[in-house]
Amino acid sequence: MPLNLSRVPDKLVDSNVESALAEDIGTGDITANLLPADSLAEATIITRDAGILCGQQWVSRVFKRVDERINVHWSVADGDALTTGQILLTLEGPARGLLTAERTALNFLQTLSGTATRCREYADKVEGTGVRLLDTRKTLPGLRAAQKYAVRCGGCYNHRIGLYDAFLIKENHILACGGIPAAVLRARESAPGKPVEVEVESMDELAQAIEAECERVMLDNFDLDAMREAVKLNDGRAELEASGNVTLETLSAIAQTGVDFISIGALTKACDPLDLSMRLA
């Protein structure tokens, strides 16, 4: 950890696109069918907001899935900073296909760009501190991989992708297993090689997690003084991750305590979509 989701596999993008198009088109786009079948058009997609671009794979796939004859020409790349009024891409092909694909393509692009934009805002707050900002599993159902990719486009990092690739042992797991040492031991035995992280709520629990030699400890809702004390007690033996009620206003102070990571649910769950528009020429 942190995990690097540098590109989303094509099969996951295809799954997202197929599902989104199915719910929008249903039995057919009856409005687009008002246009002549042989009508061709050109279009541009622009942004009315400044932000960070994310979503090229999904947008390109939407248009090609609706009609292979549509040509997509990008003027920017994922991760690029955008200015108000900027042209993001141009399109040419059958008019029916362009209009049918429009809303689904914009939905992906505005949502993922909004996520990347929020992440860049947070990342800029801790630039130069050495702290890495992590996302969480608080993502839109069905768009986990897409949003986690957007997080990286915005300059932040991925925590575990799901429940399968790393342990995060929390209060209920600890209670059910009979304590932190027992829970960590079970994790090592059940899935050797998988990273183990333990969430703690006190210095005593922190000491137990360090003694159990887990890779990372999550400091749950520690105040700033407690974080600094935790860093001193840990003395570099485990990675430390701060979590709980992190805001833009508190971010810099948390970063300066010496923790290695800060996890923030707002990176993916509290994002404003960019305002985008497609215009036919």
Side-chain angles (χ1 to χ4, degrees):
M1 296 188 291
L3 302 170
N4 184 352
L5 192 65
S6 59
R7 176 181 170 84
V8 176
D10 289 337
K11 66 178 182 179
L12 291 182
V13 176
D14 287 343
S15 177
N16 292 158
V17 168
E18 291 293 334
S19 176
L21 287 173
E23 73 178 3
D24 199 33
I25 298 173
T27 58
D29 183 352
I30 59 176
T31 309
N33 286 343
L34 298 175
L35 281 65
D38 59 354
S39 177
L40 300 177
E42 296 180 354
T44 57
I45 292 179
I46 67 167
T47 176
R48 296 191 180 97
D49 292 327
I52 303 298
L53 184 82
C54 182
Q56 285 186 304
Q57 284 179 265
W58 290 264
V59 172
S60 295
R61 184 59 184 146
V62 166
F63 283 108
K64 286 296 185 181
R65 177 65 183 84
V66 170
D67 195 318
E68 282 286 347
R69 296 171 292 175
I70 295 176
N71 294 313
V72 183
H73 307 285
W74 287 93
S75 303
V76 289
D78 283 348
D80 284 354
L82 309 176
T83 57
T84 302
Q86 185 173 358
I87 294 176
L88 308 182
L89 66 154
T90 58
L91 304 147
E92 54 190 36
R96 283 185 178 182
L98 291 172
L99 294 176
T100 296
E102 174 186 2
R103 176 41 54 196
T104 298
L106 292 181
N107 283 349
F108 279 119
L109 194 59
Q110 69 186 21
T111 299
L112 298 182
S113 295
T115 301
T117 300
R118 169 57 63 91
C119 289
R120 181 64 59 85
E121 182 181 17
Y122 274 71
D124 286 347
K125 283 284 189 180
V126 298
E127 186 176 5
T129 66
V131 167
R132 292 188 176 188
L133 304 185
L134 304 177
D135 57 24
T136 70
R137 288 168 41 241
K138 296 173 182 177
T139 54
L140 294 170
L143 290 180
R144 171 72 55 81
Q147 281 198 285
K148 282 184 172 281
Y149 170 71
V151 165
R152 296 200 56 89
C153 286
C156 295
Y157 296 82
N158 299 142
H159 204 281
R160 57 180 180 165
I161 304 302
L163 295 172
Y164 56 89
D165 57 336
F167 288 96
L168 179 48
I169 300 171
K170 297 190 173 188
E171 179 183 13
N172 288 332
H173 304 105
I174 293 169
L175 289 172
C177 290
I180 289 174
V184 173
L185 179 60
R186 284 196 180 188
R188 300 290 188 207
E189 293 174 344
S190 65
K194 295 288 187 181
V196 177
E197 179 173 5
V198 175
E199 180 185 78
V200 302
E201 299 178 348
S202 67
M203 290 300 166
D204 179 61
E205 289 185 345
L206 171 61
Q208 293 181 51
I210 294 171
E211 184 66 25
E213 298 184 343
C214 59
E215 285 84 353
R216 187 181 299 174
V217 181
M218 178 183 288
L219 309 176
D220 182 37
N221 285 302
F222 278 42
D223 63 27
L224 294 176
D225 287 339
M227 288 183 202
R228 285 187 281 266
E229 184 180 349
V231 169
K232 184 176 180 180
L233 175 64
N234 179 56
D235 194 27
R237 287 175 288 178
E239 295 176 332
L240 295 183
E241 174 185 335
S243 181
N245 297 314
V246 179
T247 68
L248 275 173
E249 291 69 34
T250 62
L251 194 55
S252 295
I254 295 173
Q256 292 167 15
T257 64
V259 296
D260 303 291
F261 303 96
I262 305 172
S263 53
I264 309 166
L267 295 183
T268 52
K269 76 171 187 176
C271 303
D272 295 324
L274 261 60
D275 186 4
L276 308 175
S277 176
M278 188 181 90
R279 297 175 179 173
L280 292 185

